[in-house]
Amino acid sequence: MRLQNKTALVTGAGSGLGKSIAETFAREGASVVVNDINPETGRAVTDRINQSGGIASFIQGDTSKEADAEKLVQFSVQTYGCLDILVNNAGVEQVKAIQDVTESEWDYVMNVNLKGVFFLSKHGVRQMVEQQNGNIINMASMAGLAGSALNGVYCASKGGVVQLTRAMALEYRDFNIRVNAICPAIIKTDLADRFMDGYKSLGVPIEEAIAGRQHRIGAVAEVANAALFLASDESSFINGVALPVDGGMSAG
């Protein structure tokens, strides 16, 4: 198994991409710390992993709060002895014209999508520096690599994730720590459904746009497999990359 004897913390793992990543990592031998702000969905994923023969523990926490972020890292180390892999997956969506975005709406998206990644990375990397090894995978987005109308705040947050990823990759490579990002296009998740509903409510034919740009909607397993590759030793010479998982959207 590709992650045997590894410990992985996956945020926002109660549903969608985080759920698929947590389950994939567990199947590949990792001991997985499942985090979600919703205890019901988080515990359900944890129970499913354990019932399938994997190893998982759940901890509730709001990644946009530094005290919670520190708690998640401490729990991982106290439970499994180390933190080998951190997947910063927790995130929220927003579809709105810039002129209509309120300060509180801006803060909400930035706090979850960018500040939360910073907080977990800050405390996770401290443990990894002490270990002299580690692997951080940040869930960015194609919206962090290219602009998207009516999606400005989300684009800004994910662009920040991409640049934070690149900076950390350079800052911590001498400690045997790799930091990479995954940039999915539209993937079949509840978050993506809400995202598309937001566009539809504004009269935007989003299905046509998706078909023209990325060929089809992606599956969660396709992103989870990319995360597995980046988490494994197979990608040992890959660092500071923002990896598109986009059906060819970024090709032209």
Side-chain angles (χ1 to χ4, degrees), residues 161-176:
V161 171
V162 169
Q163 288 298 84
L164 180 61
T165 297
R166 291 168 172 159
M168 289 186 65
L170 296 174
E171 190 168 340
Y172 291 100
R173 60 185 175 185
D174 290 342
F175 297 94
N176 197 31

Side-chain angles (χ1 to χ4, degrees), residues 6-7 17 20 30 32 49 55 64 87 108 118 127 143 157 164 167 169 183 187 205-206 209 211 217 219 223 234 251:
K6 301 287 188 181
T7 295
L17 296 178
S20 184
V32 180
I49 290 172
I55 300 173
S64 70
V87 181
Y108 174 61
F118 162 66
Q127 173 63 28
S157 70
L164 180 61
C183 298
I187 308 296
I206 189 65
I217 293 176
V223 179
E234 295 168 13

Side-chain angles (χ1 to χ4, degrees), residues 26-46:
R27 283 196 300 270
E28 290 293 331
S31 299
V32 180
V33 176
V34 174
N35 158 256
D36 204 89
I37 198 168
N38 183 331
E40 292 184 6
T41 57
R43 288 196 178 99
V45 172
T46 304

Side-chain angles (χ1 to χ4, degrees), residues 14 19 22 43 49 54 58-59 65 79 95-97 108 110 121 125 144 183 192 212 220 245 252:
K19 171 179 176 290
R43 288 196 178 99
I49 290 172
F58 172 72
I59 180 168
K65 298 178 179 178
T79 304
V95 178
K96 203 166 190 179
Y108 174 61
M110 287 296 176
S121 297
V125 83
C183 298
V220 290
V245 181

Side-chain angles (χ1 to χ4, degrees), residues 1-8 22-32 53-55 228:
M1 291 187 283
R2 295 155 78 182
L3 301 181
Q4 190 72 45
N5 301 320
K6 301 287 188 181
T7 295
E23 292 176 343
T24 298
F25 282 15
R27 283 196 300 270
E28 290 293 331
S31 299
V32 180
I55 300 173
L228 173 60

Side-chain angles (χ1 to χ4, degrees), residues 118-156:
F118 162 66
F119 284 152
L120 263 298
S121 297
K122 172 183 175 179
H123 292 283
V125 83
R126 284 177 174 170
Q127 173 63 28
M128 293 174 178
V129 166
E130 185 177 325
Q131 298 168 178
Q132 290 290 293
N133 72 82
N135 193 332
I136 298 176
I137 301 168
N138 295 325
M139 194 59 63
S141 169
M142 284 305 299
L145 300 178
S148 178
L150 304 174
N151 204 18
V153 180
Y154 185 79
C155 287

Side-chain angles (χ1 to χ4, degrees), residues 83-119:
L83 178 60
D84 300 296
I85 304 160
L86 168 62
V87 181
N88 285 312
N89 169 76
V92 294
E93 81 292 340
Q94 184 187 83
V95 178
K96 203 166 190 179
I98 287 293
Q99 67 191 42
D100 297 325
V101 175
T102 66
E103 182 178 2
S104 62
E105 289 171 333
W106 168 276
D107 288 344
Y108 174 61
V109 174
M110 287 296 176
N111 287 346
V112 177
N113 289 2
L114 183 54
K115 188 187 284 187
V117 172
F118 162 66
F119 284 152

